[in-house]
């Protein structure tokens, strides 16, 4: 028997732990003959520790009570398990519920700490059964020696008792099974693990999440027991947010503030704001800390799962898929050499399941995971403790290579003719994501991972991986013209530009200036865009790159066009249409003709617009650029509308729409639908016009273009239909 168990038993005896049914000498229970034993005094057991106040756990209490009511109706015992992250309040919830059942279970209450996080290891079920049997009146000398006999006697003694049993901090379902009583009882198990194995025993699973923001603020106010939360609600909300809803963290900071009634909440906010110090600040009295609670969960992990936990702590984004885990484990670029291939080597999915079952990872969707904010800091801290800076950089490179390689694959699918800059990777194997079929699925991946890609770009630059930073920014290009995301567009290219300049790579610098300038242009920063294009032109000239300089003519023309300076735009497009083919870029020359056609249409020169658009389409089709050829076809349709030739317009616009949908160009497809609606109006077909306007509106909203969407709503209103907001 372990020393701490003996101490617990002695404590129970000193405090008069009371006994249930007496066991007389010479009687038989469950087939076991109990020899000479003094009769126990028949009393009722009330072993549960005191309950504490709960905040915002009504939903969980309702689930537990509903499960108990169902068990009563069906005439069997009630078994439930509450799982969750360390410090989330599992035991507090269990005690709050079980204490309310005292009147309904007069047989008493049994309690055992199963010690999953104990430094001595989890409690042996046989030892717990021995304590339970003695509490139930079995003399020590009559307790059977084998676990099977002890479990049988325990079930016999509880067969007719209406009791409550709390098995706190369980390690496994196997540890719990022998401790289930035999009668019309309620047994509640708490664990940091998801004890799915207990489902076979009819167990109802309740997973406890951290508190929401308002509930966390309420708990902070209860802990402080003064007016500071009411007087400074914004500071209280900020502090609760930094604690990420973890009740233990909130109680710790509340206790620290409560000990200093004159100290404002802002002092604790400042202490927690710096991520590297946050776990250190979430501690009190030297023995109660969030770090300590998470350390216990970490120490219980198998070595392979602990390694993945540390590696994932280096991921700079908020969530990730299993392919990231596979990339981190595929080789020796992590915190230590990877395990050798063999039957003991678990794959990424198995290890993710271990972390999830241990409530160290949160499942946020199909093949998507994230850390609780404080767990993320703990994982990163473990990586910092157990790896050199070079090893951490190697692991980050593996993460970045995964995203870069997958983004490069998206480029190949969506823009195979794009003049690409080199993509370079580290020495370890590169794992790419499965993208699904077609351009739409490929762009969906870029859009889903947008926050992660942006975070990797910033982290790679600060970690000395500048080439990865600008290459990833460049590889994201297919997303931005099609689905916009202007804030990310500008931020990504600003970081890529800084990385390219730090690396002294002028080719990359010019690409970041031109691609980033187009993002500025799309978001209304016309002068800033023009400045960036002109910087690129000067850099190209300094490098003696005539082709690069000719390409900036197109970009500078676009900046003038968007700013309303159409004469300057027309001049620059005309120059580009001549210089680009002369420098060998026939496709870019076609784009210049397309832009010139757009200006001609805007200035009412319809014949010029039609000629330039038709020439651009021919050139772009020959260059195998269906997306931009469709844009030229769309412009021909708009020219036909201006000429009041709706049948001709419909032919061009329908052709353009089919291509644009096929390459997942949502904004341009919406423009085509809007123009098709105008053609329907010219043909006096208002119902068709309304349908097309509605479809255009939906597409504009899906790509976050509120300006064009508002114009379409006005057209629908004029047609006598009110579009939904």
């Amino acid at each position: 028997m372990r020393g701490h168990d003996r101490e617990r038993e002695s404590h129970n005896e000193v405090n008069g732990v009371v006994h249930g049914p007496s066991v007389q000498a010479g009687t038989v229970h469950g087939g076991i003959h109990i020899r000479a034993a003094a009769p126990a005094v028949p009393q009722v057991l009330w072993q549960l520790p005191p309950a504490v106040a709960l905040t915002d756990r009504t939903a969980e209490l309702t689930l537990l009570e509903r499960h108990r009511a169902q068990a009563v109706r069906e005439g069997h015992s009630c078994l439930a398990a509450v799982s969750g992250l360390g410090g989330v309040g599992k035991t507090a919830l269990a005690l709050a519920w079980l204490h309310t059942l005292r009147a309904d279970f007069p047989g008493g209450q049994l309690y055992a700490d199963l010690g999953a996080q104990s430094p001595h290891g989890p409690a042996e079920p046989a030892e717990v059964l021995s304590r339970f049997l003695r509490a139930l009146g079995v003399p020590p000398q009559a307790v059977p020696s084998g676990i099977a006999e002890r479990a049988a006697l325990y079930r016999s003694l509880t067969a007719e008792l209406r009791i409550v049993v709390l098995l706190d901090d369980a390690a496994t379902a196997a540890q719990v099974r022998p401790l289930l009583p035999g009668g019309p009882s309620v047994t509640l198990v708490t664990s940091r693990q998801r004890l799915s194995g207990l489902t076979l025993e009819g167990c109802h699973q309740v997973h406890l999440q951290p508190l929401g923001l308002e509930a966390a603020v309420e708990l902070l106010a209860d802990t402080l027991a003064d007016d500071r939360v009411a007087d400074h609600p914004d500071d209280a909300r900020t502090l609760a947010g930094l604690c990420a809803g973890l009740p233990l963290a909130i109680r710790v900071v509340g206790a620290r503030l409560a000990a200093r009634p004159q100290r404002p909440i802002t002092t604790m906010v400042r202490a927690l704001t710096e991520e590297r110090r946050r776990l250190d600040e979430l501690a009190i009295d030297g023995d109660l800390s969030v770090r300590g609670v998470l350390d216990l969960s970490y120490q219980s992990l198998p070595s392979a799962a602990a390694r993945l936990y540390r590696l994932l702590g280096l991921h700079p984004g908020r969530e990730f898929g299993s392919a990231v885990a596979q990339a981190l484990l595929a080789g020796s670029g992590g915190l230590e050499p990877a395990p050798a291939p063999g039957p003991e080597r678990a794959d990424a999915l198995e290890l993710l399941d271990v972390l999830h079952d241990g409530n160290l990872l949160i499942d946020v969707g199909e093949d998507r995971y994230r850390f609780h904010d404080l767990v993320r800091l703990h994982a990163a801290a473990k990586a910092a403790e157990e790896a050199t800076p070079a090893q951490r950089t190697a692991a980050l490179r593996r993460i970045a290579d995964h995203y870069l390689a997958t983004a490069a694959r998206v480029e190949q699918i969506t823009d195979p003719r794009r003049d690409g800059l080199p993509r370079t990777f580290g020495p370890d194997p590169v794992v790419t994501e499965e993208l699904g079929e077609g351009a739409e699925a490929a762009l969906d991946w870029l859009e889903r991972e947008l926050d992660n890609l942006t975070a990797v770009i910033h982290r790679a630059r600060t970690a000395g991986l500048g080439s990865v930073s600008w290459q990833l920014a460049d590889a994201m290009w297919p997303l931005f013209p099609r689905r916009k995301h202007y804030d990310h567009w500008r931020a990504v290219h600003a970081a890529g530009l800084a990385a390219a300049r730090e690396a002294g790579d002028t080719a990359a610098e010019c690409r970041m200036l031109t691609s980033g300038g187009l993002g500025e242009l799309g978001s209304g920063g016309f002068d800033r865009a023009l400045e960036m294009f002109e910087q690129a032109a000067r850099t190209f000239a300094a490098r003696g790159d005539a082709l690069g300089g000719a390409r900036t003519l197109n970009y500078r023309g676009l900046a003038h066009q968007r700013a309303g300076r159409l004469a300057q735009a027309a001049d620059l497009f005309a120059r580009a249409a001549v210089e680009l083919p002369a420098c060998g870029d026939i496709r870019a020359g076609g784009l210049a003709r397309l832009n010139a056609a757009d200006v001609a249409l805007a200035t009412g020169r319809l014949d010029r617009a039609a000629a330039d658009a038709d020439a651009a389409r021919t050139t772009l089709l020959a260059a195998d650029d269906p997306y931009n050829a469709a844009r030229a076809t769309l412009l021909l349709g708009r020219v036909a509308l201006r000429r009041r030739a709706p049948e001709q317009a419909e032919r061009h616009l329908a052709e353009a729409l089919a291509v644009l949908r096929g390459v997942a160009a949502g904004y341009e497809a919406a423009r085509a639908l809007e123009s098709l609606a105008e053609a329907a109006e010219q043909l006096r077909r208002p119902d068709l016009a309304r349908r097309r306007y509605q479809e255009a509106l939906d597409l504009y909203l899906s790509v976050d273009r509120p300006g064009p969407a508002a114009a379409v709503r006005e057209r629908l209103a004029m047609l006598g239909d009110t579009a939904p907001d």
Side-chain angles (χ1 to χ4, degrees):
M1 182 182 299
R2 300 175 305 178
H4 67 282
D5 289 333
R6 287 194 294 270
E7 291 170 7
R8 216 177 265 135
E9 291 163 14
S10 298
H11 175 79
N12 288 344
E13 291 165 5
V14 167
N15 286 277
V17 171
V18 286
H19 301 100
S22 61
V23 179
Q24 304 295 332
T27 59
V28 176
H29 288 274
I32 300 169
H33 183 78
I34 300 174
R35 295 181 301 276
V41 178
Q43 300 179 44
V44 180
L45 303 113
W46 303 113
Q47 292 186 347
L48 291 184
V52 297
L54 278 183
T55 300
D56 193 38
R57 295 304 191 190
T58 303
E60 291 83 358
L61 291 170
T62 300
L63 284 174
L64 290 168
E65 190 57 34
R66 185 181 302 159
H67 180 57
R68 185 178 78 89
Q70 179 181 350
V72 170
R73 288 194 304 271
E74 296 175 358
H76 57 70
S77 61
C78 171
L79 173 61
V82 178
S83 64
L85 178 64
V88 80
K90 301 180 292 296
T91 302
L93 174 69
L95 291 171
W97 182 52
L98 294 179
H99 273 292
T100 67
L101 306 182
R102 182 165 179 166
D104 293 332
F105 291 86
Q109 305 162 340
L110 289 173
Y111 170 78
D113 178 357
L114 298 188
Q117 313 306 320
S118 169
H120 306 284
E124 292 294 336
E127 295 178 2
V128 178
L129 283 169
S130 176
R131 297 201 303 272
F132 280 179
L133 289 173
R134 294 198 303 275
L136 288 166
V138 178
Q141 66 271 24
V143 172
S145 59
I147 186 173
E149 292 82 2
R150 290 181 184 182
L153 178 56
Y154 170 61
R155 290 192 298 272
S156 296
L157 294 177
T158 57
E160 303 300 327
L161 291 179
R162 293 183 57 80
I163 63 170
V164 161
V165 180
L166 174 55
L167 304 174
D168 201 18
D169 196 22
T172 65
Q175 185 191 29
V176 168
R177 287 191 184 99
L179 307 177
L180 300 178
S185 58
V186 168
T187 303
L188 187 59
V189 185
T190 72
S191 178
R192 298 188 187 193
Q193 301 292 322
R194 298 172 189 263
L195 302 179
S196 55
L198 288 179
T199 305
L200 299 175
E201 280 71 30
C203 182
H204 181 73
Q205 303 284 343
V206 176
H207 182 66
L208 204 56
Q209 298 284 4
L211 297 173
L213 183 58
E214 296 305 323
V217 171
E218 181 183 343
L219 179 58
L220 179 63
D222 290 343
T223 307
L224 285 179
D226 58 27
D227 295 329
R228 277 177 284 181
V229 169
D231 292 343
H232 302 282
D234 291 341
D235 293 337
R237 289 171 65 85
T238 301
L239 182 58
L242 289 168
C243 292
L246 191 67
L248 173 62
I250 297 160
R251 289 192 181 277
V252 166
V253 298
R256 291 182 60 178
L257 287 169
R260 295 169 176 81
Q262 304 306 314
R263 179 170 291 183
I265 293 175
T266 51
T267 59
M268 190 58 68
V269 169
R270 286 194 296 270
L272 297 187
T273 297
E274 186 178 348
E275 286 192 343
R276 288 178 297 178
R277 294 179 52 203
R278 192 174 303 166
L279 290 177
D280 294 328
E281 295 291 340
L282 291 173
I284 191 170
D285 295 336
D287 63 350
L288 182 62
S289 72
V290 172
R291 184 191 295 276
V293 167
L294 295 177
D295 279 346
L296 291 174
S297 293
Y298 174 72
Q299 290 160 10
S300 70
L301 291 173
S303 60
R307 176 176 181 260
L308 180 59
Y309 177 77
R310 298 190 298 270
L311 290 168
L312 290 171
L314 300 171
H315 187 273
R318 308 301 291 186
E319 64 176 56
F320 46 84
S322 62
V324 171
Q326 291 168 354
L328 283 166
L329 296 176
S332 60
L335 304 190
E336 69 271 346
E344 292 80 19
R345 181 174 180 177
D347 66 19
L349 289 174
E350 292 172 344
L351 296 179
L352 288 168
D353 283 344
V354 171
L355 296 177
H356 176 260
D357 289 346
N359 288 295
L360 291 171
L361 274 185
I362 301 169
D363 186 342
V364 292
E366 185 178 355
D367 193 37
R368 302 293 288 179
Y369 305 87
R370 71 172 176 85
F371 283 122
H372 180 276
D373 285 352
L374 297 180
V375 177
R376 176 178 56 85
L377 295 180
H378 183 262
K382 287 300 174 186
E385 291 170 11
E386 302 185 26
T388 66
Q391 289 171 326
R392 295 196 298 274
T393 299
L396 177 62
R397 179 64 192 255
R398 296 167 67 75
I399 294 170
D401 282 353
H402 159 71
Y403 286 114
L404 176 59
T406 309
R409 178 63 185 142
V410 175
E411 281 187 297
Q412 295 170 4
I413 293 170
T414 57
D415 281 333
R417 303 290 296 176
R418 187 180 182 222
D419 181 15
L421 293 175
R423 305 286 180 245
T424 57
F425 301 96
D428 291 317
V430 177
V431 175
T432 57
E433 188 88 36
E434 293 293 333
L435 295 175
E437 295 293 330
E440 192 79 34
L443 289 173
D444 285 346
W445 181 86
L446 277 179
E447 192 164 46
R448 184 176 67 250
E449 300 291 350
L450 184 53
D451 288 339
N452 282 334
L453 295 165
T454 304
V456 169
I457 287 168
H458 287 287
R459 180 70 63 83
R461 180 191 164 208
T462 60
L465 301 173
S467 63
V468 177
S469 183
W470 71 255
Q471 286 181 44
L472 187 51
D474 187 45
M476 292 171 67
W477 170 256
L479 177 70
F480 295 129
R482 292 169 172 83
R483 299 190 182 175
K484 312 313 176 186
H485 297 288
Y486 286 114
D487 289 342
H488 282 88
W489 189 342
R490 296 164 69 188
V492 158
H493 284 83
L497 176 61
R501 284 174 169 166
E502 289 165 2
D505 190 327
T506 55
E509 177 184 354
C510 289
R511 177 64 70 87
M512 293 296 99
L513 284 167
T514 54
S515 298
L518 290 170
E520 294 284 349
L521 199 61
S523 59
F526 308 136
D527 291 336
R528 171 61 182 153
L530 182 59
E531 178 186 349
M532 293 173 72
F533 297 145
E534 289 177 344
Q535 286 180 35
R538 291 191 293 271
T539 303
F540 280 128
R543 297 177 69 230
D545 186 342
L547 175 58
R551 286 172 175 164
T552 66
L553 293 172
N554 237 343
Y555 302 135
R556 289 149 65 191
L558 288 170
H560 284 294
Q561 180 186 13
R562 300 288 177 83
R565 298 184 289 267
L566 298 185
Q568 294 96 315
D571 178 63
L572 287 163
F573 291 145
R575 288 174 56 193
V578 173
E579 292 185 27
L580 283 164
C583 292
D585 194 339
I586 296 173
R587 172 180 169 274
L591 291 173
R593 292 292 295 272
L594 174 58
N595 293 331
D598 203 17
V599 171
L601 177 61
T603 55
R605 294 177 295 139
L606 301 184
D607 290 343
R608 179 77 262 169
D612 281 339
D614 190 57
R617 180 175 64 171
T618 299
T619 299
L620 293 166
L621 285 172
D624 194 21
D625 185 353
Y627 165 66
N628 283 305
R631 291 178 59 221
T633 307
L634 171 58
L635 201 147
L636 285 170
R638 292 171 57 208
V639 170
L641 285 176
R642 291 283 294 275
R643 287 172 165 168
R644 307 294 295 182
E647 293 89 351
Q648 182 185 26
E650 283 208 322
R651 288 194 297 274
H652 288 311
L653 295 169
E655 177 186 340
L657 178 61
V659 176
L660 293 168
R661 279 178 163 160
V663 296
Y667 171 68
E668 287 79 7
R671 293 185 67 198
L673 282 163
E674 184 180 3
S675 296
L676 280 165
E678 293 179 36
E681 285 195 80
Q682 289 187 12
L683 291 167
R684 301 182 183 278
R685 299 181 63 188
D687 289 342
L688 178 60
R690 274 191 287 269
R691 290 197 298 273
R692 288 172 172 175
Y693 277 131
Q694 184 60 58
E695 193 173 354
L697 174 61
D698 294 340
L699 264 179
Y700 278 135
L701 292 174
S702 72
V703 295
D704 194 23
R705 295 304 296 267
V712 169
R713 281 197 183 94
E714 290 182 9
R715 297 298 304 173
L716 279 167
M718 292 174 64
L719 285 170
D721 194 7
T722 302
D725 290 332

